[in-house]
Amino acid sequence: SVSLVLETADSAAARGAVPYCRVRGYGMAHSDVPFGTVGGSSEGLVKAVRAALADAELTAADIDGILGFANGMTEVDSQETAGLSAVFDLSRVPVLSVKQRTGEGRAASAALALAHGAFLLHGDLAGKTGMVQTSVSAGSLRRLLAVSFAAGGSYTAVVIEKVL
């Protein structure tokens, strides 16, 4: 189980809280796939990502890293790669996964990825990525995109940003 606490900047400031990051934009999409289908649809992911970028008033070039939903299942991983490749140059933007350390969290996976992203942006994981060896430095990250997939073809994408 994972819980995230979201509040307005004014509310956080009023109680003296230091924000870990801010939500810059989000998008959701659904592609009709039979419920229980593992693979989903790369088109649904592309729609959710583009909606999140539009809501954030950003382009793909503004994203420093992607918190992915891949879980080692070929069908799921290939759909994620296809969808993300349609929007991003994946040789430039790293796709990070916390599932290698935490395992498959099912419905909690998206919240877990967002929490991990908030820690990365806030600096609590500076020098660490929590993933397999990578050349990504947490300190160089400013904006992350977290993506998630649910059975039946629902996709969510959330852009989070370092608070400067």
Side-chain angles (χ1 to χ4, degrees):
S1 174
V2 176
S3 296
L4 293 175
V5 175
L6 301 176
E7 65 181 317
T8 66
D10 290 341
S11 172
R15 62 183 191 83
V18 177
Y20 275 52
C21 66
R22 74 181 189 119
V23 174
R24 177 77 186 257
Y26 69 94
M28 296 177 70
H30 184 81
S31 291
D32 290 331
V33 296
F35 186 77
T37 298
V38 176
S41 158
S42 61
E43 293 82 18
L45 176 58
V46 169
K47 287 178 186 176
V49 168
R50 288 190 173 143
L53 291 172
D55 186 50
E57 298 180 342
L58 298 172
T59 68
D62 296 315
I63 301 299
D64 301 314
I66 300 165
L67 298 157
F69 57 77
N71 63 3
M73 293 178 67
T74 303
E75 278 188 83
V76 174
D77 296 359
S78 64
Q79 290 298 326
E80 180 179 42
T81 300
L84 294 176
S85 294
V87 180
F88 297 95
D89 174 0
L90 296 183
S91 68
R92 184 195 73 77
V93 182
V95 179
L96 310 171
S97 174
V98 299
K99 291 182 181 181
Q100 290 173 307
R101 293 195 55 156
T102 63
E104 175 62 68
R106 308 287 287 164
S109 291
L112 181 60
L114 281 171
H116 190 83
F119 282 127
L120 282 169
L121 293 175
H122 189 254
D124 290 357
L125 298 176
K128 306 172 200 171
T129 62
M131 282 62 73
V132 168
Q133 186 65 31
T134 178
S135 61
V136 176
S137 167
S140 68
L141 301 172
R142 180 160 182 231
R143 293 186 186 108
L144 297 172
L145 174 77
V147 293
S148 69
F149 163 68
S154 294
Y155 294 87
T156 303
V158 180
V159 177
I160 56 175
E161 182 174 67
K162 182 181 283 190
V163 177
L164 300 175

